[in-house]
Amino acid sequence: MAERETVDMWFDPICPWAWLTSRWLLEVEQVRPLDIRFHVMSLSVLNEGRELPEQYVQLMQAGWGPVRICIAAEQKYGNQVLRDLYTALGTRIHLGKQELGSELYAAALTDAGLDPALAAAADSQEYDAPLRVSHNAGMKPVGTDVGTPVIHAPGPVPGEPIAFFGPVVTPAPKGEAAGRLWDGVVLVAGTPGFYELKRSREQDPSFD
């Protein structure tokens, strides 16, 4: 029986591609000896100071709310609550198509069994410093020209983890198909000097 290893994923709740990757990783957890641990990055932090289309500027302004709430919950309860809170937020944002705001945040916190009063963190800068610490921890090994998802995983050399952006995939593979994708991703990401494998994206996120 292989010893279980920990894989860390950095997410922003508003990103549909990160949501799909997270659902894939939870499938991988069932077919490979891995435990998935979630952390917060922020597209709003990543895009500070950049010239963006007006529509994206508005999304980045709204995007502060969910990540602040995630950090507030992590600070109060511990890292382990992010798994259920991310699922609660993502289910409402990506599957339910609910509008970002206090009603969604309080409901998601309640869904995760957490204090709905933490929804107030969305409009507070109190948690921005630890948010940046979490964000930087995830992004530093992969650089700032990528977004989310970011994954840190055990590499082929014991004690030397590998970090990468992606995979970007839709819909999220399930069962053994999820495991095979994991095997391939770790193989290429663990190859010295390997940087990119990409093709034009022709599908919108599918949450089936």
Side-chain angles (χ1 to χ4, degrees):
M1 194 75 175
E3 183 178 349
R4 296 186 72 84
E5 297 180 303
T6 298
V7 171
D8 295 282
M9 177 188 160
W10 272 258
F11 69 91
D12 185 315
I14 67 173
C15 178
W17 298 105
W19 171 253
L20 286 166
T21 298
S22 73
R23 300 309 96 178
W24 162 68
L25 283 175
L26 294 178
E27 287 284 323
V28 174
E29 194 178 53
Q30 303 305 310
V31 296
R32 296 293 186 270
L34 302 175
D35 294 313
I36 310 304
R37 184 166 56 192
F38 291 100
H39 307 271
V40 184
M41 66 82 68
S42 170
L43 292 171
S44 300
V45 171
L46 184 69
N47 286 290
E48 282 182 315
R50 296 181 178 180
E51 291 189 12
L52 304 169
E54 180 57 32
Q55 183 177 3
Y56 202 69
V57 169
Q58 294 175 3
L59 179 61
M60 291 303 94
Q61 290 172 345
W64 284 100
V67 291
R68 285 169 171 166
I69 289 167
C70 286
I71 291 295
E74 183 179 34
Q75 296 260 302
K76 181 172 182 176
Y77 296 103
N79 172 265
Q80 72 279 358
V81 303
L82 288 181
R83 173 186 289 243
D84 288 346
L85 180 55
Y86 182 26
T87 292
L89 286 165
T91 298
R92 289 179 174 275
I93 294 170
H94 303 298
L95 305 187
K97 307 298 183 185
Q98 296 182 21
E99 184 177 354
L100 298 179
S102 57
E103 183 176 344
L104 183 157
Y105 305 147
L109 286 159
T110 301
D111 291 344
L114 307 176
D115 183 0
L118 288 176
D123 299 316
S124 170
Q125 297 181 5
E126 178 181 354
Y127 298 97
D128 287 5
L131 168 62
R132 292 177 188 278
V133 170
S134 179
H135 173 90
N136 291 333
M139 301 305 296
K140 185 176 181 180
V142 295
T144 58
D145 59 346
V146 299
T148 180
V150 165
I151 293 172
H152 297 190
V157 178
E160 295 185 13
I162 53 175
F164 52 90
F165 164 76
V168 175
V169 60
T170 188
K174 295 178 172 59
E176 184 56 26
R180 290 196 301 270
L181 177 57
W182 174 258
D183 297 339
V185 166
V186 172
L187 175 63
V188 297
T191 301
F194 181 88
Y195 290 104
E196 190 169 358
L197 181 67
K198 190 172 184 178
R199 56 186 170 191
S200 296
R201 194 182 305 166
E202 297 177 343
Q203 288 181 266
D204 292 330
S206 171
F207 306 116
D208 296 339

